[in-house]
Amino acid sequence: MTSEKRDISHDATQDRDIEDVNVLIRRRCEELDHLRQNGIDPYPPHFDVDARARPLIEAFVDGAPQKSVKIAGRIMSMRRMGKAAFCHIQDSTGKIQVYLRKDDLGSWYENLRLLDIGDIIGVSGFVFRTKMGEVSVHANEVALLAKSLRPLPIVKEKVDEQGNKTVYDPFSDKELRYRQRYVDLVVNPKVREVFVQRSKIISVMREFLDARGYLEVETPVLQPLYGGASARPFVTHHNALDIDLYLRIADELYLKRLIVGGFDAVYEISKDFRNEGMDRTHNPEFTMLELYVAYKDYIWMMELVEELISKVAKSVRDDMKIEVVGKEISFAPPYKRISMFDVIRDITGKDLRGKSEEDLRRVAKELHLEIEPGIGVGGIIDAIFGELVEPKLIQPTFIIDYPVEMSPLAKKHRSEPGLVERFELIVNGQEIANSFSELNDPLDQRARFEEQARLRARGDQEAQVLDEDFLRALEYGMPPTAGLGIGIDRLVMLMTNQTSIRDVLFFPHMRPE
């Protein structure tokens, strides 16, 4: 009964909030009508901006010649004082104060009463410093560029005499922020910095690869067969051909076809799609970097990854030390290297090397893990590693030399029977990169695909499918090749100290409202 009363109270509060917003929207619509009656176009086609807030503030020098500017932004505060007013406008770089006088604006000054927080204005004027010491723009002309009809959830701040800041009414509800990212970006400027940093990280990665002469390419998003990873696909239908197609789960098999075709090194920064669960490190749509370099192996690739990741970290922090949820992580190479079986033994006390599926199921039970019936040897080892070992790997660590059952696209180890030449880079308990010495023996690859088919028949819906065209490409001959995949979303999470993948995606997937 108590719970029901709480729900009813919450619903009533929500209804009042909605009604309050509707009242404000109606008032703003009335203001819109008044502005039009006053001959003002509330949505003009353009405004010639020639300055931005932060650069203006940073470049201002007292005593320098007066500088005329045209700046535009969203009103974030407004103080009217009879024949003068102050407002702060916010653009893509930050906020700047605007000083507005009736003597300068004439009859237009009366329209200020029809403006609200959230409206976008253009200001022509000159830069000066107020008596309070704040760099501002003295407005000679003002133009309304967009009337905001819906009120912003403005965050209020109060600073006491000791300089302590108290924040009131923050726009902090996670679900609402993800659904209304456009509002989140306006009222929480730090969010914008995360996405600026994301763009910079991707640019650094692209520059790193381009400087080595690697070719950026594009491969199909819609594929007749999905492959290159162990995951469930999204299915769609092509009407003209009357066939089902799949959104790609990885770029691997198409990029390796290009290596067969004679390119020495190709990469793609792409959106991939996997029809799987959602949590703090998984979104059904995500961004990957995949790279394939001919005549190289996974040992060479480890060194390249160290160089690439450390360069990305240096673009964020000169000392390459990043704080992630209270933990300091150093991305300065070299990174620790340890085999999968060794790290499982060190952390769980269980040596899984050479064990049968029955033995592995017994070990998993001893470790209090539930394993689905259709999962084979590789899946059981992966479950043990993922649940009990991976979360404990905080500093950058290369987990190397995986069981062959876990890696149907990787070359068999040159000296260790039963293993493949593969590594994953684990940081802060999550996989950031995955790499193989790529399997280029077409007969071995066919046998691996056939084993995957047997796992699918047992019920493993994430087992890989047999791709006859890819096998045909391998039969023409693919040189020794090193392949790499890096999860860009997770890398950005690390570099920007975010705890959820949704915090580094502009528009994460959500249940419908």
Side-chain angles (χ1 to χ4, degrees):
M1 182 63 73
T2 304
S3 174
E4 289 179 4
K5 287 183 178 178
R6 268 203 305 268
D7 291 342
I8 292 170
S9 173
H10 174 76
D11 291 343
T13 301
Q14 194 172 48
D15 289 343
R16 285 196 300 272
D17 290 343
I18 292 171
E19 180 57 30
D20 289 344
V21 169
N22 289 337
V23 169
L24 292 173
I25 290 175
R26 286 195 294 270
R27 179 178 64 75
R28 291 187 179 209
C29 287
E30 291 170 0
E31 292 171 345
L32 185 69
D33 290 338
H34 288 309
L35 287 164
R36 286 186 165 130
Q37 291 168 14
N38 293 346
I40 293 174
D41 180 0
Y43 304 104
H46 74 100
F47 182 82
D48 295 325
V49 174
D50 62 16
R52 297 289 187 273
R54 185 183 299 171
L56 277 183
I57 294 171
E58 292 175 348
F60 182 80
V61 177
D62 290 305
Q66 194 177 90
K67 181 180 180 180
S68 297
V69 297
K70 290 185 175 182
I71 190 167
R74 190 181 296 274
I75 297 174
M76 301 303 291
S77 68
M78 175 74 79
R79 290 181 290 128
R80 301 180 184 88
M81 301 173 292
K83 295 184 178 181
F86 287 93
C87 72
H88 280 90
I89 62 172
Q90 177 175 284
D91 64 15
S92 62
T93 67
K95 293 180 185 177
I96 191 167
Q97 181 171 258
V98 178
Y99 174 54
L100 309 114
R101 286 198 317 168
K102 185 174 183 179
D103 290 348
D104 298 311
L105 301 180
S107 61
W108 210 101
Y109 185 83
E110 299 305 319
N111 292 311
L112 292 181
R113 63 185 176 81
L114 300 175
L115 299 187
D116 292 286
I117 290 175
D119 291 353
I120 300 172
I121 62 172
V123 176
S124 300
F126 61 89
V127 187
F128 76 112
R129 189 186 297 277
T130 67
K131 292 179 180 179
M132 299 300 292
E134 185 170 356
V135 176
S136 307
V137 176
H138 185 126
N140 294 323
E141 294 181 16
V142 175
L144 177 61
L145 305 181
K147 179 65 179 171
S148 170
L149 300 184
R150 185 174 291 271
L152 287 172
I154 289 298
V155 178
K156 303 176 184 67
E157 294 182 352
K158 183 178 180 181
V159 181
D160 63 20
E161 295 178 355
Q162 289 74 40
N164 299 313
K165 184 185 294 185
T166 304
V167 178
Y168 299 93
D169 301 326
F171 187 64
S172 57
D173 181 273
K174 284 282 190 179
E175 183 169 339
L176 198 57
R177 287 178 53 213
Y178 298 147
R179 289 188 186 281
Q180 299 182 23
R181 182 67 84 189
Y182 39 87
V183 176
D184 191 28
L185 292 167
V186 171
V187 301
N188 293 321
K190 288 184 179 180
V191 173
R192 187 182 304 138
E193 292 301 315
V194 170
F195 290 99
V196 170
Q197 197 68 58
R198 178 190 175 105
S199 181
K200 182 179 180 181
I201 287 168
I202 293 174
S203 293
V204 169
M205 298 174 78
R206 182 174 273 116
E207 290 167 4
F208 178 90
L209 299 173
D210 288 346
R212 283 157 178 74
Y214 301 161
L215 183 68
E216 184 172 7
V217 299
E218 295 174 300
T219 61
V221 174
L222 292 174
Q223 301 178 351
L225 284 175
Y226 61 95
S230 297
R232 297 185 186 187
F234 288 94
V235 187
T236 188
H237 189 78
H238 190 282
N239 292 330
L241 295 177
D242 193 25
I243 59 171
D244 284 343
L245 293 172
Y246 303 93
L247 295 182
R248 66 180 170 205
I249 61 174
D251 310 1
E252 177 167 347
L253 302 189
Y254 281 91
L255 291 174
K256 288 198 284 194
R257 285 173 169 94
L258 298 181
I259 298 295
V260 171
F263 288 103
D264 286 337
V266 292
Y267 76 92
E268 185 170 15
I269 296 174
S270 65
K271 287 287 189 182
D272 290 341
F273 309 85
R274 297 180 185 176
N275 198 352
E276 56 188 15
M278 297 168 58
D279 58 33
R280 70 178 190 85
T281 62
H282 292 86
N283 193 67
E285 176 183 347
F286 58 97
T287 305
M288 287 285 292
L289 162 70
E290 289 206 35
L291 166 70
Y292 294 84
V293 184
Y295 310 110
K296 303 296 184 182
D297 63 8
Y298 80 133
I299 297 173
W300 174 89
M301 188 63 83
M302 274 187 264
E303 295 173 357
L304 182 132
V305 168
E306 285 179 336
E307 190 176 350
L308 171 58
I309 299 298
S310 62
K311 183 169 184 177
V312 168
K314 191 172 179 62
S315 74
V316 178
R317 285 279 302 272
D318 284 340
D319 61 4
M320 294 183 277
K321 293 179 179 177
I322 310 294
E323 182 176 320
V324 180
V325 199
K327 294 169 285 192
E328 186 178 84
I329 296 176
S330 173
F331 288 93
Y335 304 155
K336 181 180 179 179
R337 303 180 184 187
I338 184 170
S339 77
M340 171 167 269
F341 282 132
D342 286 348
V343 75
I344 291 174
R345 182 199 61 218
D346 291 349
I347 290 178
T348 69
K350 305 291 186 180
D351 189 350
L352 307 186
R353 197 184 302 265
K355 283 190 166 23
S356 66
E357 181 180 331
E358 184 180 353
D359 290 337
L360 289 171
R361 287 187 177 277
R362 185 168 57 252
V363 170
K365 188 173 182 179
E366 292 171 1
L367 295 171
H368 309 291
L369 295 179
E370 292 187 10
I371 305 296
E372 295 179 11
I375 301 299
V377 167
I380 299 171
I381 296 173
D382 190 34
I384 293 171
F385 176 77
E387 291 292 326
L388 302 177
V389 177
E390 194 172 41
K392 298 183 179 180
L393 302 174
I394 305 304
Q395 297 300 321
T397 304
F398 287 121
I399 303 300
I400 64 174
D401 301 343
Y402 281 56
V404 66
E405 294 87 354
M406 289 182 65
S407 309
L409 295 165
K411 186 185 288 288
K412 288 180 180 177
H413 200 282
R414 65 196 73 180
S415 60
E416 293 281 350
L419 303 182
V420 294
E421 297 192 346
R422 173 186 179 185
F423 73 77
E424 286 184 312
L425 176 61
I426 310 296
V427 187
N428 196 38
Q430 59 189 20
E431 173 201 342
I432 301 302
N434 187 24
S435 173
F436 311 147
S437 293
E438 299 295 335
L439 177 56
N440 61 340
D441 178 343
L443 301 180
D444 189 3
Q445 183 64 84
R446 179 177 292 278
R448 305 268 197 100
F449 277 155
E450 289 172 349
E451 175 58 28
Q452 289 288 298
R454 285 189 284 272
L455 289 173
R456 288 182 69 83
R458 287 178 49 180
D460 185 352
Q461 294 301 308
E462 294 189 355
Q464 298 196 31
V465 296
L466 192 149
D467 187 332
E468 286 288 356
D469 182 70
F470 176 66
L471 289 171
R472 178 168 56 196
L474 288 187
E475 287 168 357
Y476 280 102
M478 185 178 82
T481 298
L484 170 70
I486 293 179
I488 288 178
D489 305 315
R490 292 183 183 179
L491 181 61
V492 174
M493 283 174 61
L494 281 171
M495 296 297 171
T496 60
N497 192 18
Q498 302 301 310
T499 58
S500 171
I501 194 171
R502 294 182 175 189
D503 292 321
V504 299
L505 302 175
F506 272 129
F507 304 107
H509 288 277
M510 309 282 290
R511 291 186 185 277
E513 292 185 80

